[in-house]
């Protein structure tokens, strides 16, 4: 787990009463994570908005972290 990266999808961004990505970050305590890469992606699961963006981050970040010998850390918005 220490070498893992974290991708969070904050869905329902199309809804009027949605919880923003920042609020999800705060609720999950992501801002306190200092030792790993993470990213939160707003999405609309019904339309698929944001899904590819999140997966693109995951793909490029895994490539980057592997190339760096699992030593890259820090958040990504
Ligand atoms: N408008 C909208 N509806 C969504 C979205 N994601 C899920 N839903 C709807 O929310 C309902 C619950 O779906 P789930 O797949 O259980 O989604 P969830 O976010 O885990 O559910 P919650 O427990 O309601 O937070 C279903 O009717 C889905 O169609 C979204 O991004 N936008």
């Amino acid at each position: 787990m220490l070498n893992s990266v974290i991708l969070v999808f904050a869905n329902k961004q199309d809804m009027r009463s949605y919880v923003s990505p920042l609020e999800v970050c705060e609720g999950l305590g992501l801002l306190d994570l200092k030792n790993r890469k993470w990213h939160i992606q707003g999405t609309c699961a019904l339309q698929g908005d944001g899904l590819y963006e999140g997966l693109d981050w995951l793909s490029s970040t895994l490539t980057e972290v592997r190339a760096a010998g699992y030593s890259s850390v820090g958040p990504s918005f």
Side-chain angles (χ1 to χ4, degrees):
M1 278 298 278
L2 279 178
N3 293 325
S4 62
V5 300
I6 299 171
L7 170 62
V8 176
F9 285 118
N11 67 336
K12 303 188 180 178
Q13 296 302 304
D14 57 310
M15 295 178 70
R16 202 178 305 169
S17 59
Y18 75 98
V19 179
S20 73
L22 180 58
E23 290 171 300
V24 174
C25 281
E26 291 168 345
L28 293 175
L30 293 176
L31 298 170
D32 297 327
L33 281 181
K34 305 296 182 202
N35 62 343
R36 66 186 59 203
K37 276 189 169 282
W38 58 268
H39 177 74
I40 187 154
Q41 179 67 54
T43 64
C44 168
L46 298 187
Q47 305 298 326
D49 297 342
L51 294 179
Y52 283 114
E53 288 87 344
L55 293 173
D56 282 346
W57 175 86
L58 185 60
S59 175
S60 60
T61 301
L62 288 175
T63 301
E64 177 188 315
V65 168
R66 283 188 184 128
Y70 298 102
S71 61
S72 278
V73 293
S76 165
F77 286 98

